[in-house]
Amino acid sequence: MNQLRIYGIAASRAFRPLWTACELAIDFEHIPQGYRHGATRNPAFLEVNPNGHIPVLTEIRGGTLITVWESMACSLYLADVYGKADGLDLSPASPAEKAQALRWSFWTVTELEKDTLSILMHRIAMPEAERKPEVAETAEKRLMLPLSVLEQHLIAQQTNEYVYLAGSRFTIADLCVASVVSWARAASPAFWERFPSTQAWLRDCLARPAHQQARNLP
Ligand SMILES: N[C@@H](CCC(=O)N[C@@H](CS)C(=O)NCC(=O)O)C(=O)O
């Protein structure tokens, strides 16, 4: 088997598979490919991902080159292929846990990502002069509905003494969702007041040593 490679700097969506790989303690080669100023738009990189995006994950198994793009797909692939379905690590250990991982990660990219990114960009990431607070406010308003779904799910889990999305331990479902909800940390205090269970869950996910380890990558 050829070395597993993950392309993409940690300060990008590549953080998702990097965090996953750190959680699973996998041996991998990190290629800290940047993305600004067309860095992913040259012929060499377009061979790896014709979409011109990071992250990308590659490995050779049984003589076949496997290429995974799309950050959530990369994370789900790692959990599926490298994790143990033993009910201890972050991989789904039953069809019910697999269902949680799939539905929450697809939900995250379709229902959350665009608006959490607007909050991140227009509250803290862009130079102050370019920020538009009204864009962040609109995004916060739109996020009320999906985040209420997350909040209610977490509250329902607590009645079963579960802290996490799929059960009593941190799984890939939590990682996929937390990596995107964390972009909304800069939302207004009035916004976050409505989601105390989500806040507590997020704090817990982000305090994990593997999260810190991935953050320290270039
Ligand atoms: N849906 C894709 C989006 C990937 C994406 O847009 N990546 C950004 C960095 S976070 C990128 O590569 N941008 C450079 C470009 O598109 O030229 C995923 O989740 O992997």
Side-chain angles (χ1 to χ4, degrees), residues 76 80 91-105 166 172-173:
L76 292 168
D80 190 39
S91 304
S94 65
E97 288 188 2
K98 209 167 262 187
Q100 298 279 19
L102 290 171
R103 72 176 190 173
W104 284 112
S105 51
I172 193 67

Side-chain angles (χ1 to χ4, degrees), residues 12-13 16 35 40-41 52-55 70-72 113:
S12 74
R13 290 176 176 87
R16 301 163 191 174
Y35 66 92
T40 53
R41 302 285 165 167
H53 296 319
I54 50 168
E70 283 302 314
S71 53
M72 294 298 172
E113 196 189 47

